[in-house]
């Protein structure tokens, strides 16, 4: 049977869960249509989802239509849970992007589109809520929506009922030749255009009214391609949750061979292999999960027994998933009150295993827990999970910006750890990397100088820790850490020695860079699109300038028809659009301010543009009052041995005491091959 995993994605309130309900109902998989506003939607199974009327956790369902098995993944639409939506992409064969006809393309819609394009996922578009459009979604209104989709998403957006016609043929040379010769496109050609992301079929309808859903199912069944899967077992983990009895549940897509109950599977984390036995397997049947003995390639399943996996892990022959694009930009202080701080920390770390984008850090210096996440709604969900699952009542301090740190020039760091009967020395070059690259690791150290196993250990140690900068103690990012030299002792070196040497080497490199003024504080910036009445444009430009934002010339439309309301992009009469970038730290509650000074006619759309040098770094550094030398868990000093006793050497003096001389040829510019452990292995 032909089958495909289809993820349903959208901006919040576009009606994606309602559409999934209608698809299941029309396929005969559920007997009654649930509704989000009534709290009885079949795919919103969590109590918090039902109470809030939004999807928080990805959910799965399965249906059959026209002889094709479609496995649906309903992902969150709220921007606070966009990291959860991004993780589901690893499991998808196709995506169904839902756009609210009355809202048009939103900033978050464009973010999702870029993520889908980055991963090469063929995409269908469903324009929902056409019943709310003027004239009930007339041909003129649909043409307007299509123009916006082509302008803001892709020129390849084609009405589904014209997929055999000229509009689709124009997206591909071979298809155009076929159309000119025969006057139409074959089903095989249409499927190829979709699979190759040349054409993006656009369907129209109203999920709540169950209008256009049958046509959508017909189109999906016809246009998805049958796929051949490898014979060797492989799978990817796209979600981790906990069952009703507290058991850990891993959600997988099998991408090769088959997975059986009681099968032993393996994976790798931080260079270390592991293996565990699968306990139970469950697959979606309609909106329910039912136990099975085997799951073959191409299908989704829920697995118990795998306690070591995390979202993004690959099993068997599957490689690890791509690094995520979306990341939290806010940090909160956890106020534990009367609760045991260690119990709260353990619970949060368990939640972070389910959601790797939930950053949990213990500040030894401040003796408090810091939590990094996407926004206030996610914060309330974390509060609810702590209460419901662990019986812990906590509060949170006000939100702060999650700053990061990097370097502007290369810096060599040396770590030496030699208390009595221990020995390790590591030389690590820390270089600035491309913006948004995170932390990349590699080696250019000769195996004649340091055995391969020790090199592996040093790099594994470097990777297992989140390194912090020396300006404010913020996370280190956008650097390459390369092993250049090292030394072990045949008798006295044990694994933990290189852990200490590695940490100290990275830290010493940062302190040296700080002394030369080569450390850089980064802050998150948002790409914004601000729509305001034309008579308020001056106020908007003044506000953005005051906040340190950058923007181009505003765009304004002529007097529009009422149907253009909500279309965005400056198309409506008397509405001007200002687009650019602004530091996240300056925004605060500006969206509420916009609504106030525009009488509710203004709208601010935001999406994370990435990290850039902080626009007021001196103030932030001064307020942080961070003393890197007082941060003992992140010490930059080394330990040497003399006359049978270890003694500490301050970071500035370490180069005069080292046992290994740096080879100048190793201090060359970084090459892509250095990102691999050993020549691409």
């Amino acid at each position: 049977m032909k089958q495909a995993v289809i993820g349903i994605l959208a901006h919040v309130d576009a009606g994606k869960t309602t559409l999934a309900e209608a698809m299941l109902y029309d396929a005969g998989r559920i007997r009654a249509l649930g509704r989000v506003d009534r709290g009885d939607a079949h795919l919103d199974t969590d109590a918090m989802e039902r109470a809030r009327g939004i999807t928080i956790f990805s959910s799965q369902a399965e249906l059959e239509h026209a002889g094709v098995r479609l496995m649906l993944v309903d992902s969150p639409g709220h921007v606070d849970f966009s990291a959860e939506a991004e993780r589901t992409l690893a499991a998808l064969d196709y995506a169904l992007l839902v756009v609210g006809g009355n809202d048009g393309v939103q900033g978050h819609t464009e973010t999702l589109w870029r993520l889908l394009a980055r991963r090469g996922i063929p995409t269908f578009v469903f324009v929902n809520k056409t019943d709310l459009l003027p004239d009930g979604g007339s041909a003129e209104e649909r043409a307007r929506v299509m123009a916006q989709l082509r302008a803001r998403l892709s020129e390849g957006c084609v009405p589904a009922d014209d997929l055999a016609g000229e509009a689709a043929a124009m997206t591909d040379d071979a298809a155009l030749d076929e159309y000119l010769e025969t006057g139409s496109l074959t089903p095989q050609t249409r499927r190829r255009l979709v699979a190759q992301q040349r054409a993006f079929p656009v369907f129209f309808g109203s999920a709540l009214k169950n209008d256009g859903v049958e046509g959508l199912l017909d189109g999906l069944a016809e246009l998805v391609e049958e796929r051949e899967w490898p014979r060797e077992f492989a799978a990817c983990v796209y979600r981790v949750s906990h069952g009703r009895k507290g058991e850990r549940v891993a959600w997988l897509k099998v991408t090769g061979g088959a997975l059986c109950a009681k099968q032993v599977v393996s994976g790798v984390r931080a260079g270390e292999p592991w293996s565990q036995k699968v306990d139970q397997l469950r697959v979606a049947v309609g909106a329910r999960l039912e136990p099975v003995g085997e799951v073959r390639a191409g299908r989704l399943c829920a697995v118990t027994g795998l306690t070591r996996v995390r979202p993004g892990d690959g099993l068997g022959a599957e490689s690890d998933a791509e690094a995520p694009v979306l990341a939290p930009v806010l940090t909160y202080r956890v106020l534990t009150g009367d609760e045991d701080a260690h119990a709260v920390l353990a619970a949060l770390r368990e939640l972070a295993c389910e959601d790797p984008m939930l950053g949990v850090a213990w500040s030894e210096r401040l003796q408090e827990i810091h939590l990094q996440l996407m926004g206030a709604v996610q914060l309330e969900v974390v509060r609810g999970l702590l209460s419901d699952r662990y019986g812990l009542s906590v509060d949170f301090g006000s939100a702060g910006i999650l700053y990061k740190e990097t370097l502007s020039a290369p810096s060599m760091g040396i770590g030496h750890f030699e208390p009595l009967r221990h020995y390790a020395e590591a030389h690590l070059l820390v270089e600035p990397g491309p913006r948004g690259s995170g932390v990349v690791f590699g080696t250019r150290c000769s195996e004649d100088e340091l055995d391969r196993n020790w090199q592996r250990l040093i790099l594994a140690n470097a990777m297992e820790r989140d390194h912090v900068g020396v300006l404010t103690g913020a996370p280190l990012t956008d650097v390459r850490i390369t092993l250049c030299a090292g030394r072990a002792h045949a008798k006295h070196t044990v694994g933990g020695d290189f852990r200490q040497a590695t940490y100290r080497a990275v830290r010493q490199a940062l302190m040296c860079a700080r002394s030369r003024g080569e450390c850089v504080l980064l802050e998150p910036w948002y790409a914004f699109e601000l729509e305001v009445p034309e008579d308020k444009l001056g106020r908007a430009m003044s506000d953005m300038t005051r906040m340190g934002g950058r923007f181009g010339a505003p765009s304004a439309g002529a007097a529009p028809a009422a149907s253009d309301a909500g279309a965005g992009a400056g198309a409506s009469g008397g509405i001007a659009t200002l687009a650019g970038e602004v530091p996240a730290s300056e925004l605060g509650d500006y969206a509420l301010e916009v609504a106030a000074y525009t009488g509710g006619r203004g709208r601010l759309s935001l999406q994370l543009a990435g990290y850039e040098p902080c626009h007021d770094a001196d103030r932030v550094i001064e307020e942080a009052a961070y003393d890197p030398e007082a941060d003992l868990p992140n010490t930059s000093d080394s330990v040497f041995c003399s006359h049978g006793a270890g003694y500490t050497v301050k970071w500035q003096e370490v180069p005069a005491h080292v046992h290994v001389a740096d080879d100048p040829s190793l201090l060359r510019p970084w090459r892509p091959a250095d990102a691999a452990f050993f020549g691409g292995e």
Side-chain angles (χ1 to χ4, degrees):
M1 176 185 290
K2 188 166 70 168
Q3 63 182 21
V5 177
I6 300 178
I8 309 180
L9 302 101
H11 63 80
V12 70
D13 291 334
K16 126 189 97 49
T17 300
T18 303
L19 176 60
E21 293 279 323
M23 293 170 72
L24 288 169
Y25 178 78
D26 282 9
R29 285 300 192 177
I30 56 177
R31 295 182 178 180
L33 282 168
R35 287 187 55 157
V36 174
D37 55 355
R38 290 201 305 254
D40 59 359
H42 291 79
L43 295 182
D44 283 347
T45 58
D46 186 86
M48 285 185 290
E49 292 180 315
R50 293 178 180 269
R52 289 181 171 272
I54 60 173
T55 301
I56 298 172
F57 309 105
S58 297
S59 56
Q60 295 71 37
E62 188 174 287
L63 60 88
E64 292 180 14
H65 184 81
V68 179
R69 176 188 293 131
L70 301 177
M71 291 157 281
L72 307 181
V73 180
D74 182 22
S75 59
H78 196 286
V79 67
D80 278 17
F81 307 104
S82 50
E84 170 89 3
E86 183 185 5
R87 283 192 295 274
T88 67
L89 301 187
L92 305 186
D93 299 315
Y94 293 84
L96 177 57
L97 185 66
V98 183
V99 177
N102 56 329
D103 292 327
V105 175
Q106 302 286 292
H108 189 52
T109 312
E110 293 177 299
T111 298
L112 293 170
W113 186 267
R114 284 193 292 270
L115 290 174
L116 292 168
R118 182 173 183 262
R119 289 181 176 264
I121 299 175
T123 303
F124 302 91
V125 178
F126 185 79
V127 179
N128 193 23
K129 303 184 180 181
T130 54
D131 56 312
L132 299 183
L133 291 173
D135 302 324
S138 63
E140 182 181 351
E141 284 298 315
R142 295 189 181 202
R144 179 189 60 77
V145 174
M146 284 301 309
Q148 189 191 42
L149 293 174
R150 291 193 182 103
R152 299 185 64 174
L153 299 183
S154 170
E155 286 289 341
C157 291
V158 178
D161 55 10
D162 193 27
L163 204 59
E166 182 179 359
M170 293 292 290
T171 66
D172 179 81
D173 289 342
L176 182 58
D177 291 341
E178 179 183 323
Y179 177 76
L180 293 175
E181 184 176 332
T182 66
S184 184
L185 299 179
T186 65
Q188 292 84 356
T189 298
R190 298 199 294 270
R191 285 193 288 269
R192 177 181 66 81
L193 293 178
V194 174
Q196 294 179 353
Q197 293 182 282
R198 301 279 188 175
F200 304 95
V202 180
F203 299 83
F204 288 83
S206 171
L208 189 61
K209 304 288 187 182
N210 203 3
D211 175 40
V213 178
E214 188 75 23
L216 172 64
L217 288 171
D218 290 340
L220 294 177
E222 177 193 352
L223 294 170
V224 298
E225 283 193 321
E226 194 160 5
R227 181 173 174 180
E228 293 290 329
W229 297 95
R231 294 184 178 181
E232 184 180 2
F233 167 72
C236 62
V237 182
Y238 66 93
R239 184 189 171 202
V240 172
S241 64
H242 282 76
R244 295 179 179 177
K245 298 180 180 178
E247 73 278 16
R248 205 161 189 263
V249 181
W251 299 80
L252 316 178
K253 180 182 182 182
V254 181
T255 55
L259 178 63
C260 302
K262 310 305 178 183
Q263 178 177 328
V264 176
V265 299
S266 60
V268 177
R269 170 158 306 118
E272 295 296 324
W274 60 266
S275 61
Q276 282 188 313
K277 181 186 290 187
V278 170
D279 187 5
Q280 292 184 334
L281 290 177
R282 295 179 181 272
V283 298
V285 177
R288 305 185 312 278
L289 288 175
E290 296 188 359
V292 294
E294 180 185 76
V295 178
R296 302 199 64 80
R299 297 195 71 181
L300 307 176
C301 60
V303 177
T304 59
L306 302 183
T307 59
R308 298 193 59 182
V309 298
R310 294 183 180 181
D313 282 357
L315 305 180
E318 176 79 16
S319 61
D320 283 350
E322 288 187 50
V325 173
L326 303 175
V329 298
L330 299 177
T331 180
Y332 294 81
R333 186 163 57 96
V334 181
L335 308 176
T336 56
D338 295 332
E339 304 289 359
D340 179 18
H342 295 290
V344 175
L345 182 61
L348 286 171
R349 283 177 172 165
E350 186 171 297
L351 293 179
C353 289
E354 300 178 16
D355 181 358
M357 287 297 100
L358 186 67
V360 181
W362 169 256
S363 173
E364 192 70 33
R365 180 172 63 94
L366 300 174
Q367 291 290 294
E368 61 188 25
I369 305 169
H370 290 178
L371 192 62
Q372 301 161 10
L373 33 70
M374 303 290 285
V377 176
Q378 188 186 13
L379 187 71
E380 290 306 309
V381 169
V382 171
R383 189 200 307 272
L385 288 171
L386 288 174
S387 176
D388 297 344
R389 188 184 298 180
Y390 304 99
L392 297 171
S393 177
V394 302
D395 207 345
F396 300 94
S398 59
I401 295 298
L402 177 58
Y403 295 93
K404 295 186 180 182
E405 298 184 30
T406 190
L407 299 184
S408 61
S411 183
M412 176 63 76
I414 303 167
H416 189 98
F417 188 70
E418 191 189 357
L420 186 61
R421 297 188 181 88
H422 293 268
Y423 186 93
E425 183 169 301
H427 295 225
L428 298 174
L429 182 64
V430 184
E431 306 170 87
R435 195 69 72 230
S437 61
V439 183
V440 178
F441 302 88
T443 181
R444 57 181 72 147
C445 179
S446 168
E447 291 183 33
D448 294 333
E449 178 181 343
L450 188 63
D451 185 77
R452 170 182 288 223
N453 289 333
W454 290 127
Q455 293 194 40
R456 283 186 182 277
L457 183 60
I458 290 172
L459 291 173
N461 288 333
M463 294 169 66
E464 72 183 5
R465 187 180 205 185
D466 293 328
H467 301 280
V468 297
V470 292
L471 295 177
T472 64
L476 185 67
T477 190
D478 297 347
V479 295
R480 306 180 182 100
I481 299 178
T482 308
L483 173 63
C484 292
R487 178 174 292 179
H489 191 282
K491 181 179 180 181
H492 295 310
T493 300
V494 296
D497 298 343
F498 270 115
R499 177 178 288 106
Q500 288 291 330
T502 300
Y503 294 169
R504 294 164 193 262
V506 173
R507 192 69 170 177
Q508 202 256 354
L510 299 179
M511 290 298 290
C512 290
R514 183 175 184 263
S515 69
R516 299 189 295 266
E518 296 169 351
C519 291
V520 180
L521 185 67
L522 302 175
E523 67 176 342
W525 282 59
Y526 281 121
F528 73 87
E529 186 174 273
L530 178 56
E531 298 177 17
V532 296
E534 288 181 341
D535 62 342
K536 301 296 183 182
L537 179 59
R539 162 73 185 269
M541 296 174 69
S542 175
D543 287 348
M544 284 299 166
T545 301
R546 171 179 51 81
M547 290 188 280
R550 305 185 296 253
F551 50 86
S555 60
S563 64
D564 286 331
S572 52
I575 294 292
T577 300
L578 196 65
E581 297 180 341
V582 63
S585 60
E586 298 291 339
L587 282 170
D589 295 328
Y590 187 64
L592 299 177
E593 194 175 329
V594 169
Y597 76 72
T598 64
R601 295 181 64 200
R603 183 171 64 179
L604 177 66
S605 299
L606 300 171
Q607 53 187 310
L608 182 64
Y611 274 77
E612 296 187 26
C614 183
H615 76 291
D616 58 348
D618 291 342
R619 178 192 64 80
V620 175
I621 293 170
E622 181 180 355
E623 290 181 357
Y626 177 68
D627 182 357
E629 296 193 61
D631 189 353
L632 298 182
N634 293 293
T635 182
S636 53
D637 302 336
S638 284
V639 178
F640 289 81
C641 188
S642 178
H643 305 295
Y647 65 98
T648 299
V649 174
K650 298 297 290 181
W651 65 269
Q652 308 95 316
E653 303 167 5
V654 169
H657 293 74
V658 297
H659 294 179
V660 180
D662 286 322
D663 181 351
S665 68
L666 296 175
L667 306 183
R668 55 173 167 76
W670 181 87
R671 300 183 309 204
D674 295 324
F677 272 7
F678 302 99
E681 176 176 320

